Amino acid sequence: MEKEQEIYDVAVIGGGPAGMMAACRSAELGAKVVLLERNKALGRKLLLTGNERCNITQANFNDKEFIKKLGKNGSWLFSVLAAFGPRDMMEFLAKRGLKTKTEKDGRVFPVSDRAQDVLTIFLKYLEEKSVKVMCQEKISGLNIKNKSVESAQLANDRKIYAKAFILCSGGATYPLTGSSGDGYEFAKKMGHNIVAPRPALAPVEIAEDWAKAMPGLGLKNVGMRIFLDGKKQESKTGDMIFTHYGISGPMVLDMSKKIAELALAGKVAVEVDLKPEMDLQEADKWLQTEFAANANRDLKNYLPGIMPQRLADLFMELSKISPKKKINLITREERKKLLVLLKGLKMTARGSMGFEQANITSGGVDLAEIDSRTMMSKKIKNLFFAGEIIDLDGPTGGYNLQICWSTGFAAGSNTGLGK
Ligand SMILES: Cc1cc2nc3c(=O)[nH]c(=O)nc-3n(C[C@H](O)[C@H](O)[C@H](O)COP(=O)(O)OP(=O)(O)OC[C@H]3O[C@@H](n4cnc5c(N)ncnc54)[C@H](O)[C@@H]3O)c2cc1C
């Protein structure tokens, strides 16, 4: 090491939600911190979250319930969630002037509906705590000496020296935002096992052209059922949206992992249920009552009253009932055809859209090799992990960002460096 080289207490790699939280927390505790980011600016992915509104966290303050939502690895998060959970995150933001609101299913957003406002809080805080932010610095590896990390390798043979390193380089999904899986390679070289990364929370590709012909059409509170070779596998209710390649939206993203798995095993069909609160018989009764009350209207004038126009057009096309037909002339068979579409609009799922478009990477640094209280590597003594790089992920609803806030806070709290 050159004599004049500056040594930081903590070097944080990756300026996403986990890295910014880890850097802020380390600096708050008095450490001299550098935050290294390959992009021109911090928080590129954060700005895209929640359709640019940022679903910051989940107002489910019961840690057990929260953890249950994360699946089989969830209980690993218990300590760090207890130390810094959703309520703490909301207080953290409120203290710095950001008001939040809670929407359907406990999803917490900024009142302003702007992800930028969440990022601004962090940018100000990093500045206030004198964190040195170095953007456009791509780390190509971590250099090991005496079983600990000595430095982070930059381009042109430059190095950043620090006493502790927090690796927050994200997963391998949405690589355009900077997270291309580099951290997995660094961790692997340092002896860590990487649980095979897989795309999760991804849009679903649909075969039928009609499904791709109505991008932007959103449906709220509908049901969705998945079938493998005709056998029902799973069902959910929620919101979805049609896209240029198929379907997306919170309910679809949450089912995408299952769809991707099933698509490897056979033919996968999805059915959208526009009346999930009714069974088939109830829906038929409801339709008959509707028909009686609208007996003299044309089908083309009636249907858009109970569903979006583009869907009404599709129903008329798929049922092959003339749009001009009066409701009181619709036969029993024709009514059944409409009922089948209403209760189970069927599509063929080709699978989920993969790393390029998935919101989350499932898999990552093996949790068995990280101390679940401190986020310290069990292999390398001055190395810590936080955020999506670790083998933990959750459904939509603010769970994934909360994993970043909690693990980033824990890593930043536990380097043992500072005044
Ligand atoms: C479209 C979209 C919407 C989402 N919406 C939500 C939501 O509303 N709520 C929610 O809870 N979750 C949401 N998520 C998930 C959430 O964004 C991620 O869980 C979160 O950003 C992960 O944070 P991170 O800090 O671990 O990684 P990232 O945000 O990916 O940040 C990692 C950073 O490390 C940098 N980096 C990587 N490699 C290097 C290197 N070699 N050198 C230097 N820097 C490097 C990257 O450039 C990047 O800035 C969404 C994801 C997507 C894609």
Side-chain angles (χ1 to χ4, degrees):
M1 183 177 59
E2 295 152 32
K3 276 228 161 73
E4 68 278 14
Q5 178 71 52
E6 193 167 11
I7 304 182
Y8 293 93
D9 290 325
V10 179
V12 179
I13 296 151
M20 289 190 290
M21 177 56 94
C24 285
R25 179 62 181 159
S26 302
E28 186 174 69
L29 296 176
K32 184 177 169 191
V33 183
V34 61
L35 175 56
L36 301 157
E37 166 57 50
R38 72 193 288 181
N39 290 330
K40 272 191 196 153
L42 304 179
R44 200 156 157 198
K45 191 178 277 181
L46 179 65
L47 289 177
L48 299 179
T49 56
N51 276 330
E52 300 176 17
R53 294 171 61 222
C54 187
N55 180 185
I56 305 161
T57 185
Q58 166 58 230
N60 182 353
F61 300 134
N62 178 332
D63 288 356
K64 272 194 188 148
E65 294 285 317
F66 188 105
I67 274 163
K68 224 166 129 188
K69 288 275 188 183
L70 308 185
K72 67 175 174 29
N73 287 348
S75 57
W76 186 89
L77 197 71
F78 205 85
S79 300
V80 300
L81 194 66
F84 191 84
R87 199 193 294 270
D88 302 300
M89 185 58 194
M90 285 161 77
E91 275 172 23
F92 170 93
L93 294 170
K95 218 165 106 187
R96 289 164 183 85
L98 188 94
K99 289 200 178 106
T100 52
K101 58 179 173 180
T102 302
E103 295 190 356
K104 200 174 135 198
D105 303 328
R107 291 164 198 259
V108 178
F109 292 89
V111 164
S112 62
D113 283 331
R114 281 163 42 97
Q116 177 65 57
D117 293 350
V118 180
L119 178 59
T120 302
I121 298 275
F122 277 98
L123 297 182
K124 277 192 192 153
Y125 198 37
L126 289 164
E127 198 183 344
E128 191 188 307
K129 294 292 162 201
S130 307
V131 171
K132 175 144 188 185
V133 176
M134 293 174 70
C135 286
Q136 290 183 289
E137 294 287 9
K138 184 175 189 288
I139 304 300
S140 57
L142 294 175
N143 303 311
I144 300 286
K145 200 173 173 184
N146 301 329
K147 290 194 177 162
S148 51
V149 186
E150 182 201 45
S151 58
Q153 188 65 49
L154 303 180
N156 302 322
D157 215 19
R158 290 170 305 132
K159 293 180 172 77
I160 293 285
Y161 293 89
K163 295 173 192 157
F165 290 79
I166 309 181
L167 192 48
C168 308
S169 48
T173 38
Y174 245 78
L176 270 178
T177 61
S179 51
S180 50
D182 289 3
Y184 300 143
E185 292 310 313
F186 305 160
K188 215 191 280 180
K189 276 197 183 138
M190 291 185 285
H192 275 281
N193 177 43
I194 305 298
V195 177
R198 301 172 307 282
L201 302 188
V204 167
E205 197 183 346
I206 295 292
E208 286 78 7
D209 287 338
W210 57 256
K212 294 177 256 189
M214 28 191 200
L217 173 65
L219 300 175
K220 288 205 178 298
N221 297 320
V222 293
M224 196 165 121
R225 298 182 286 270
I226 318 175
F227 298 83
L228 174 66
D229 297 329
K231 236 177 144 183
K232 188 173 155 194
Q233 305 289 320
E234 205 175 287
S235 63
K236 261 195 169 51
T237 345
D239 301 344
M240 63 169 285
I241 187 166
F242 286 90
T243 67
H244 288 289
Y245 37 78
I247 50 176
S248 188
M251 176 180 63
V252 174
L253 297 181
D254 283 336
M255 292 180 106
S256 63
K257 209 171 175 178
K258 185 82 185 170
I259 291 174
E261 271 168 34
L262 295 173
L264 298 174
K267 195 173 174 219
V268 182
V270 296
E271 279 183 6
V272 174
D273 185 346
L274 295 182
K275 290 277 168 207
E277 69 285 5
M278 301 176 189
D279 66 20
L280 202 63
Q281 270 186 342
E282 287 166 342
D284 194 20
K285 264 194 192 147
W286 172 80
L287 203 55
Q288 288 181 51
T289 314
E290 280 284 303
F291 277 15
N294 293 277
N296 292 319
R297 296 175 74 185
D298 292 348
L299 184 62
K300 72 173 185 324
N301 295 328
Y302 165 68
L303 273 186
I306 61 163
M307 64 182 70
Q309 179 69 55
R310 281 190 281 179
L311 212 52
D313 292 340
L314 178 73
F315 272 38
M316 290 184 277
E317 187 191 322
L318 295 179
S319 67
K320 298 196 171 68
I321 307 172
S322 163
K324 288 185 187 152
K325 195 158 192 175
K326 289 263 180 277
I327 294 287
N328 61 2
L329 296 178
I330 287 180
T331 65
R332 191 165 175 273
E333 278 65 42
E334 286 172 332
R335 192 184 76 237
K336 293 279 180 215
K337 276 188 193 169
L338 291 173
L339 183 66
V340 165
L341 292 173
L342 202 64
K343 283 294 294 170
L345 181 59
K346 198 177 234 135
M347 297 170 245
T348 314
R350 286 201 170 127
S352 77
M353 293 291 288
F355 284 101
E356 298 295 316
Q357 294 202 36
N359 284 11
I360 277 290
T361 310
S362 209
V365 180
D366 197 333
L367 299 179
E369 299 173 352
I370 308 171
D371 183 313
S372 64
R373 246 178 352 93
T374 61
M375 303 305 295
M376 192 196 283
S377 159
K378 291 182 183 171
K379 304 245 164 195
I380 303 280
K381 50 188 179 192
N382 66 339
L383 176 66
F384 296 75
F385 296 98
E388 200 177 321
I389 188 170
I390 66 172
D391 179 23
L392 189 61
D393 61 284
T396 63
Y399 292 94
N400 290 299
L401 278 176
Q402 185 58 49
I403 292 173
C404 296
W405 312 132
S406 296
T407 55
F409 186 87
S413 300
N414 286 294
T415 60
L417 297 159
K419 286 166 196 146

